[in-house]
Amino acid sequence: MIKYDKEGTKCTLATFCEEPRAAYNRVRLTSYFETRDPSSLSMTSEFDSDGKTAWYEENGVELYLNDKAVSIDTDTKMITGASGRSIPYDVAVLATGSYPFVPPIPGKQRPGVFVYRTIEDLEAMLEYAKENNVKSAAVIGGGLLGLEAAKAVADMNVESHIIEFAPNLMCRQIDQGGHDALVGTIESLGLKVHCDARTESIVGSDGSTDTESIAPVAALSFSNEGWDDLPVQMVVVSCGIKPRDEVARDAGIVVGERGGVVVDEQLRTSVKDVYAIGEIALYNNFIYGLILPGYDMANVAASAIASDIGIGIDSDEESPKFTGADLSTKLKLLGCDVASFGVNQPKPDDEDVSELVWNDPLQGVYRKLIFNKSGSKLRGGILVGDAGDYTTLHKIATQGAELPENPSVLLAPPSARGGEVSMEEEVSDDPTSQVCSCNDVTRGTINEAVAELGVEGATLPALKKCTNAGTGCGGCEPLVKKILGEELAKLGGSLSNNLCEHFEYSRPELMALIRTDSDVMSVNSFEKVLAKHGHGDGCELCKPAVGSILASIMNDMILDGGRDQLQDTNDRSLANMQRGGTYSVVPRVAAGELSPDQLIALGETAKKYNLYTKVTGAQRVDLFGASKYQLPDIWEDLGEAGFESGHAYGKALRTVKSCVGSTWCRYGVQDSVSFAVRVENRYKGIRSPHKFKSGVSGCVRECAEAQGKDFGMIATENGYNLYFGGNGGANPVHAEIFAADIDEDTVIKYVDRYLMYYILTADKLERTAVWQRKLPSGKTGGGPIEHLKEVIIEDSLCINDELDTRMQHLVDTYHDEWAEVVKDPERRKKFQQFVNTDENQPREDMIEFIDMRGQVRPTDWPADGQPQTNWKPPTDDVFSRSEKTWIKVGKTSDFAANVGAAILYGQTQLAVFNNAKRGEWYVTQNMCPHKQAFVLSQGIVGDSEGVPKVACPLHKKQFSLEDGAQIDGDLNLITFEVKIDKDDVLVNLPAEVEVDAILGTTGLRVQNTSCVDIAGDAIKILPLRKPSAVREQTSLRAKKD
């Protein structure tokens, strides 16, 4: 309507809203867990404290929040809300939507039973799960909303069971084959699926199964023969929707037999000047529950209303009509592509059907294409696991686009086709092709928006805002980004691939500048690279990237020469930071081969330091729970047992997995263990753009899963088959065969070149599989793998000498980083907990450790927004009334340049940052307020648009070092004045008792139960006598010589 009333003078718009905030995107409701910020779901702009957004005022729309429309008087043309407010109308549009359908299951009245519809539903579920220590929950309903609800439950760290009455999930969209592929993906994420489930009752904790007991949920019972009760403490019902048509029904407006307001092709109801759209509208005896038909209805209704009241419509134009909607859809559910289009499940009596099916259970891909009997027309299809060509197939089926000469070539998923393979959505040049199915955004709309925004203004957020593309389910965002890049190129611009604001180069470009520099000494440190090719201070993005480049070329000790300031969270400590700020210790176990004495040493070390132990999927033993100050001692013990660093903390080789091969296995044809040991010892410690893994299988049975690794070898009678470009994880990729029946030395030669080519040309944090897909096709059209053969075997780029030389340099300069630390007292000092004292605060002072099957682990972090998260001081300047004293906390030489270090003041941890790049010093609390973890001193120091900052090493929350304000959020750090007097570092601090009351470690310890909030006590403490001069408090614990 705003579009038609451009001057805003011919109609007044008003909307009743039952909820406490304006319209938001329910399609992306599950993503609420990522931010716990309702504004991230807003359909317009950020919500203010009243739940409104600026958009409503800017467009003159009256908004009545918390005021459900309860009646409409069609005679007097008056609408009344629950508040008693009544407003007259000329035209009314019913968009009351639907409510969740809850089947009449005995026990549905119990505490712990929820529906999944609103933000308040999610918050209620979160609160109940926390207060009742919910470990397991059931979601009744396996349709689209049910799967979204199941993900929401899983995001709460609660075991999630999907209960579906039908034989398969999403029975309206996919068939049994699609169900099998989808279930495989879902269950690989730890969720459980129960189909053909006949839920009989929701059982209470008192064992009751009636309709009156209010005992909390304890289980689900089923009428299926032989099924046991399923123990759960929470139930989410997502069994479909029912239109909220009670206002229309009470007003005498015609509704359908099973609900819904009957409408015509222009969305008019049976009463003059009343329209209905969305999930309440019943057109041709059908309710459309998808977002796109809802938008179509809104456009048609707005046009009809504008025509009726005579605004913005050319009388000669034919009014648009709603005649139904294409129910094709493409979604990403729990990380799995699911799409259906056209006639995807023909009726049993439909004889004009010919089906082609692709079923790959190993990759979790299922595809069914449905043609007519003659094969001349694509009628529809189902795509699960790989829907990269959905746009093309949808267009062929719905618009009658021409089929290829051999239609069967459409069946294989893009990830399995020959030639240049792309895992991304295909991009059509046709302006009418649909890009965003949620909001019906075409390629042409995006093209026009980019042209209007221009090179400077056309960013992805701006494009999404003005077109709504990518703001629905989010599945089309990569496609939108790709189109943006293409259109910017046409305008003479480009989509930035710069490292960050400090370098106008991508990682490959910066790598090329550094490695080809004739004066290597001019680019052998971050400061020199920044001065020569960048600007500013650097940040948490470019520092690790440059550090990795320098390590990949020069291979010096990463903690020396100021390089520790470049290292990300884990590399700086040579260990993986875990929850609560403790670390894991992962020794190298080449090929998984361990001696009994080494196993004993691991056990003894774990017992000595009370570490949680676990065997990993990579054939290693992880020791969890070490404090940073303990790491050198732990590694000294492990080194005596013959262990080296496993580099689990680095973007480097993790492990080479192996089976026992011919040494033990009756099927083995090669000694896979010995070869795996050789391979691992060759590539250990080599830094790369991302971690990489390998595997060696002793026969074609593939027990080492070599084809799921970055590079892998499978033994044959004649040697090994070599594979490149696989990986597991969130987006598994099957490696491609590179060479067959080659000997070990040839394998090594090819892998040397492959890895070095990857190191020199990949983008930052880009796995080999993604990098490999982006490579050009071979000269004969054989795809990236052919290109690799040309480069590595044929030397088509004339770089093999460089690749061989650089790899040999890395192999020859290998050093065990932990052995270097253990033997050097100066390096060991980097692991001291506090600069100003040898006293340590044990891990238990910072987070509670709980027993789990005879071992200890840190207690669970509360979900964001719950107590013990997003900590804030009681006032902006909590110590404004306090008397302060300049306290000496150390010598300037105690604090390394451009990094943080922790000091202990009373029982409070503070972080001191020596920003030598600027000649400035800062002091803040050491606790990151996000998760109350004492880790900020371990963060990377840099700047954002000139503002000095530190990035928390846990979740990269960024804070200004000048005033403590969070740059990317609304949290704050408490900061303190600091000055340098000759060589002394002095901090202006209140008395210990005051600082401890607010920031004391034990008071902020993360616990199983709610923390006692002592922050407010600070304002009750009387100001102490102000000393007359600078003094050094004895309680700061003199540092031992």
Side-chain angles (χ1 to χ4, degrees):
M1 292 307 302
I2 293 171
K3 177 178 69 175
Y4 293 115
D5 185 18
K6 295 180 179 179
E7 297 178 359
T9 59
K10 296 186 177 180
C11 67
T12 300
L13 300 175
T15 178
F16 285 86
C17 180
E18 180 181 9
E19 295 189 47
R21 61 185 62 82
Y24 58 90
N25 190 346
R26 296 190 199 277
V27 176
R28 304 191 72 173
L29 189 59
T30 307
S31 67
Y32 177 67
F33 286 104
E34 298 172 9
T35 61
R36 295 292 296 277
D37 178 10
S39 291
S40 65
L41 301 179
S42 173
M43 299 287 283
T44 50
S45 52
E46 287 196 3
F47 294 118
D48 60 23
S49 57
D50 295 326
K52 298 181 179 180
T53 72
W55 181 89
Y56 288 85
E57 184 174 349
E58 291 168 357
N59 289 279
V61 179
E62 297 176 15
L63 176 64
Y64 309 131
L65 295 177
N66 293 298
D67 199 359
K68 172 184 173 183
V70 294
S71 69
I72 176 171
D73 187 329
T74 58
D75 293 327
T76 62
K77 289 194 168 183
M78 190 73 67
I79 297 174
T80 303
S83 66
R85 174 190 287 110
S86 293
I87 63 170
Y89 71 85
D90 294 308
V91 177
V93 179
L94 302 177
T96 48
S98 61
Y99 63 87
F101 169 65
V102 180
I105 303 171
K108 67 178 183 178
Q109 76 285 351
R110 299 187 186 283
V113 179
F114 299 90
V115 294
Y116 178 79
R117 187 67 174 169
T118 68
I119 290 176
E120 281 62 46
D121 292 335
L122 286 184
E123 289 288 0
M125 289 159 59
L126 279 167
E127 183 178 358
Y128 185 87
K130 182 178 184 299
E131 291 180 352
N132 295 275
N133 194 29
V134 172
K135 299 297 184 185
S136 181
V139 176
I140 301 178
L144 171 59
L145 287 177
L147 297 184
E148 288 290 324
K151 182 181 186 301
V153 169
D155 286 343
M156 298 179 196
N157 294 320
V158 172
E159 183 179 63
S160 184
H161 293 265
I162 302 169
I163 313 298
E164 170 56 40
F165 181 84
N168 57 279
L169 301 178
M170 296 187 67
C171 55
R172 291 187 178 182
Q173 288 86 16
I174 60 177
D175 61 7
Q176 186 64 44
H179 159 87
D180 293 340
L182 180 59
V183 168
T185 298
I186 291 173
E187 293 195 330
S188 71
L189 299 174
L191 288 79
K192 311 294 183 185
V193 178
H194 312 266
C195 288
D196 271 325
R198 306 293 188 263
T199 305
E200 188 172 51
S201 66
I202 302 172
V203 184
S205 57
D206 59 357
S208 61
T209 58
D210 56 37
T211 58
E212 297 181 358
S213 169
I214 57 171
V217 173
L220 279 188
S221 67
F222 305 93
S223 61
N224 302 64
E225 185 176 350
W227 283 36
D228 294 331
D229 288 357
L230 178 66
V232 293
Q233 300 83 48
M234 187 168 75
V235 173
V236 182
V237 181
S238 184
C239 295
I241 57 174
K242 298 199 72 173
R244 299 185 64 175
D245 58 11
E246 60 272 18
V247 171
R249 192 183 299 270
D250 292 344
I253 298 172
V254 174
V255 298
E257 183 179 346
R258 300 181 63 182
V261 178
V262 176
V263 295
D264 64 13
E265 291 179 340
Q266 292 188 314
L267 288 309
R268 293 184 173 92
T269 70
S270 61
V271 173
K272 181 177 173 55
D273 295 329
V274 179
Y275 294 73
I277 62 173
E279 292 172 339
I280 189 180
L282 181 70
Y283 174 76
N284 202 15
N285 207 33
F286 194 87
I287 295 282
Y288 292 87
L290 297 175
I291 187 171
L292 180 55
Y295 286 149
D296 288 343
M297 290 180 188
N299 287 330
V300 170
S303 174
I305 294 167
S307 178
D308 286 350
I309 63 178
I311 61 169
I313 293 289
D314 188 337
S315 59
D316 293 332
E317 290 184 7
E318 184 178 353
S319 297
K321 297 178 180 180
F322 181 83
T323 57
D326 178 12
L327 296 180
S328 302
T329 185
K330 179 192 174 192
L331 304 162
K332 187 171 283 291
L333 296 171
L334 296 159
C336 180
D337 280 351
V338 178
S340 63
F341 58 93
V343 179
N344 56 72
Q345 296 190 66
K347 296 179 179 179
D349 59 353
D350 189 343
E351 296 182 355
D352 191 22
V353 171
S354 181
E355 298 178 346
L356 293 178
V357 175
W358 177 285
N359 190 6
D360 182 356
L362 296 178
Q363 297 299 316
V365 175
Y366 173 86
R367 293 160 63 92
K368 176 187 281 188
L369 299 184
I370 300 166
F371 298 86
N372 61 356
K373 199 73 172 178
S374 64
S376 61
K377 180 181 179 182
L378 177 63
R379 298 183 61 195
I382 296 169
L383 313 173
V384 178
D386 186 344
D389 53 353
Y390 167 80
T391 299
T392 299
L393 296 173
H394 176 263
K395 183 177 180 180
I396 293 173
T398 60
Q399 299 181 23
E402 187 177 351
L403 285 171
E405 184 176 345
N406 179 11
S408 63
V409 300
L410 298 172
L411 180 61
S415 57
R417 294 176 190 168
E420 188 168 356
V421 178
S422 173
M423 294 292 285
E424 299 177 350
E425 174 75 65
E426 295 180 0
V427 181
S428 171
D429 291 329
D430 183 353
T432 65
S433 64
Q434 187 185 72
V435 176
C436 176
S437 60
C438 292
N439 297 320
D440 192 22
V441 183
T442 65
R443 169 79 191 239
T445 301
I446 295 176
N447 293 354
E448 292 171 4
V450 174
E452 185 174 337
L453 290 167
V455 172
E456 297 298 323
T459 63
L460 184 61
L463 186 61
K464 290 170 65 177
K465 183 175 182 179
C466 69
T467 65
N468 284 328
T471 61
C473 72
C476 66
E477 186 170 308
L479 190 58
V480 175
K481 185 176 181 180
K482 192 167 185 178
I483 294 173
L484 171 59
E486 291 179 359
E487 293 304 306
L488 282 173
K490 294 177 184 177
L491 297 175
S494 63
L495 194 60
S496 173
N497 193 32
N498 296 348
L499 275 177
C500 63
E501 65 179 89
H502 304 103
F503 288 94
E504 295 179 359
Y505 302 100
S506 66
R507 181 196 178 276
E509 292 167 341
L510 192 59
M511 166 65 89
L513 289 171
I514 295 172
R515 75 181 177 90
T516 59
D517 199 305
S518 58
D519 181 7
V520 67
M521 298 306 293
S522 71
V523 287
N524 66 346
S525 71
F526 177 78
E527 289 76 13
K528 293 177 181 178
V529 173
L530 185 66
K532 197 165 189 176
H533 300 297
H535 55 85
D537 296 353
C539 65
E540 74 283 358
L541 299 176
C542 62
K543 284 188 172 184
V546 173
S548 172
I549 290 173
L550 296 177
S552 297
I553 294 176
M554 300 165 189
N555 208 24
D556 296 321
M557 178 67 177
I558 65 171
L559 298 186
D560 292 352
R563 287 181 290 276
D564 51 350
Q565 65 155 309
L566 311 180
Q567 307 308 319
D568 213 339
T569 305
N570 300 328
D571 291 81
R572 183 179 169 190
S573 300
L574 305 182
N576 288 49
M577 183 179 282
Q578 307 293 346
R579 183 151 33 99
T582 59
Y583 293 84
S584 59
V585 173
V586 188
R588 185 165 301 285
V589 181
E593 188 176 62
L594 275 171
S595 71
D597 286 340
Q598 287 178 315
L599 281 170
I600 291 169
L602 285 171
E604 289 176 340
T605 301
K607 289 180 68 175
K608 180 177 179 180
Y609 296 96
N610 195 20
L611 305 177
Y612 174 96
T613 60
K614 184 183 184 300
V615 178
T616 73
Q619 297 182 333
R620 301 197 286 193
V621 179
D622 280 10
L623 311 178
F624 292 87
S627 297
K628 184 174 179 178
Y629 66 84
Q630 296 176 314
L631 292 174
D633 293 336
I634 291 172
W635 276 104
E636 185 172 5
D637 292 348
L638 292 173
E640 291 175 356
F643 286 108
E644 293 180 326
S645 170
H647 292 93
Y649 48 81
K651 299 296 183 282
L653 175 70
R654 293 297 174 85
T655 183
V656 180
K657 189 174 182 180
S658 78
C659 62
V660 294
S662 60
T663 53
W664 288 94
C665 180
R666 66 185 185 274
Y667 300 110
V669 294
Q670 300 289 347
D671 183 359
S672 55
V673 178
S674 296
F675 190 34
V677 170
R678 178 187 176 188
V679 171
E680 185 157 350
N681 284 330
R682 181 169 183 80
Y683 302 118
K684 62 187 178 184
I686 292 177
R687 291 306 204 283
S688 62
H690 210 304
K691 65 184 177 183
F692 61 98
K693 302 176 182 179
S694 181
V696 184
S697 287
C699 73
V700 294
R701 292 173 182 268
E702 246 285 67
C703 295
E705 302 166 331
Q707 294 174 86
K709 303 294 190 289
D710 297 88
F711 65 97
M713 291 71 76
I714 301 177
T716 69
E717 295 286 351
N718 302 312
Y720 288 92
N721 289 344
L722 175 60
Y723 294 81
F724 286 151
N727 71 253
N731 297 295
V733 177
H734 203 277
E736 296 179 83
I737 189 164
F738 177 82
D741 294 328
I742 56 177
D743 60 29
E744 292 185 3
D745 289 343
T746 305
V747 169
I748 293 294
K749 178 172 68 174
Y750 290 167
V751 172
D752 279 0
R753 294 172 181 175
Y754 177 79
L755 290 178
M756 206 67 232
Y757 188 32
Y758 162 65
I759 289 169
L760 296 182
T761 62
D763 212 340
K764 65 182 177 70
L765 301 180
E766 187 171 57
R767 291 294 297 270
T768 59
V770 178
W771 165 77
Q772 187 168 310
R773 286 202 305 269
K774 292 180 178 179
L775 293 175
S777 180
K779 295 175 183 177
T780 60
I785 198 69
E786 286 299 319
H787 168 78
L788 285 170
K789 291 176 183 178
E790 293 165 3
V791 172
I792 293 171
I793 300 175
E794 302 170 17
D795 199 13
S796 62
L797 300 180
C798 299
I799 60 172
N800 279 354
D801 285 345
E802 180 188 2
L803 300 180
D804 293 342
T805 301
R806 289 191 179 280
M807 178 56 74
Q808 194 58 49
H809 170 73
L810 295 179
V811 173
D812 292 342
T813 55
Y814 166 76
H815 47 272
D816 176 6
E817 289 160 351
W818 267 115
E820 298 298 314
V821 169
V822 166
K823 68 184 182 184
D824 187 333
E826 288 303 311
R827 288 174 176 145
R828 290 183 80 130
K829 286 182 181 178
K830 295 178 182 287
F831 295 84
Q832 188 169 318
Q833 189 175 19
F834 303 112
V835 164
N836 63 321
T837 177
D838 285 336
E839 182 179 338
N840 296 309
Q841 285 191 336
R843 64 187 186 182
E844 291 82 4
D845 284 1
M846 291 169 268
I847 187 169
E848 182 178 356
F849 276 71
I850 60 176
D851 178 78
M852 187 173 73
R853 295 181 292 276
Q855 300 194 83
V856 295
R857 68 165 181 87
T859 188
D860 294 336
W861 267 336
D864 278 5
Q866 297 298 309
Q868 305 186 88
T869 67
N870 298 332
W871 176 90
K872 294 182 179 180
T875 64
D876 290 338
D877 188 1
V878 66
F879 296 121
S880 61
R881 297 171 55 192
S882 302
E883 299 287 352
K884 300 181 181 71
T885 305
W886 286 102
I887 305 297
K888 177 183 175 182
V889 299
K891 296 287 187 181
T892 55
S893 57
D894 294 331
F895 299 90
N898 302 313
V899 292
I903 62 171
L904 189 63
Y905 180 66
Q907 290 300 311
T908 295
Q909 295 188 26
L910 301 178
V912 179
F913 299 94
N914 172 13
N915 191 336
K917 178 76 166 57
R918 292 174 174 239
E920 297 173 353
W921 291 71
Y922 321 95
V923 176
T924 72
Q925 66 195 58
N926 193 38
M927 180 203 71
C928 176
H930 176 220
K931 292 292 188 181
Q932 293 186 197
F934 297 82
V935 296
L936 282 178
S937 62
Q938 301 300 301
I940 291 180
V941 176
D943 80 285
S944 175
E945 299 181 347
V947 177
K949 68 173 185 177
V950 62
C952 172
L954 281 174
H955 299 106
K956 298 298 183 285
K957 304 292 184 184
Q958 301 176 54
F959 299 92
S960 164
L961 289 172
E962 292 179 332
D963 59 12
Q966 185 183 355
I967 294 173
D968 51 355
D970 61 354
L971 300 176
N972 283 278
L973 306 178
I974 296 176
T975 61
F976 301 89
E977 288 183 276
V978 58
K979 68 180 182 181
I980 306 302
D981 184 6
K982 297 180 180 178
D983 291 331
D984 293 335
V985 181
L986 307 173
V987 184
N988 201 21
L989 293 167
E992 286 183 3
V993 64
E994 294 186 68
V995 179
D996 285 347
I998 303 299
L999 294 172
T1001 300
T1002 54
L1004 294 171
R1005 173 179 183 253
V1006 176
Q1007 305 176 66
N1008 242 333
T1009 55
S1010 298
C1011 286
V1012 177
D1013 182 12
I1014 61 173
D1017 292 346
I1019 59 174
K1020 302 175 185 177
I1021 300 174
L1022 294 174
L1024 303 180
R1025 178 179 59 84
K1026 184 174 183 178
S1028 58
V1030 171
R1031 62 189 176 88
E1032 190 170 343
Q1033 288 196 353
T1034 56
S1035 57
L1036 269 172
R1037 297 159 180 90
K1039 188 174 177 182
K1040 296 178 182 177
D1041 295 330

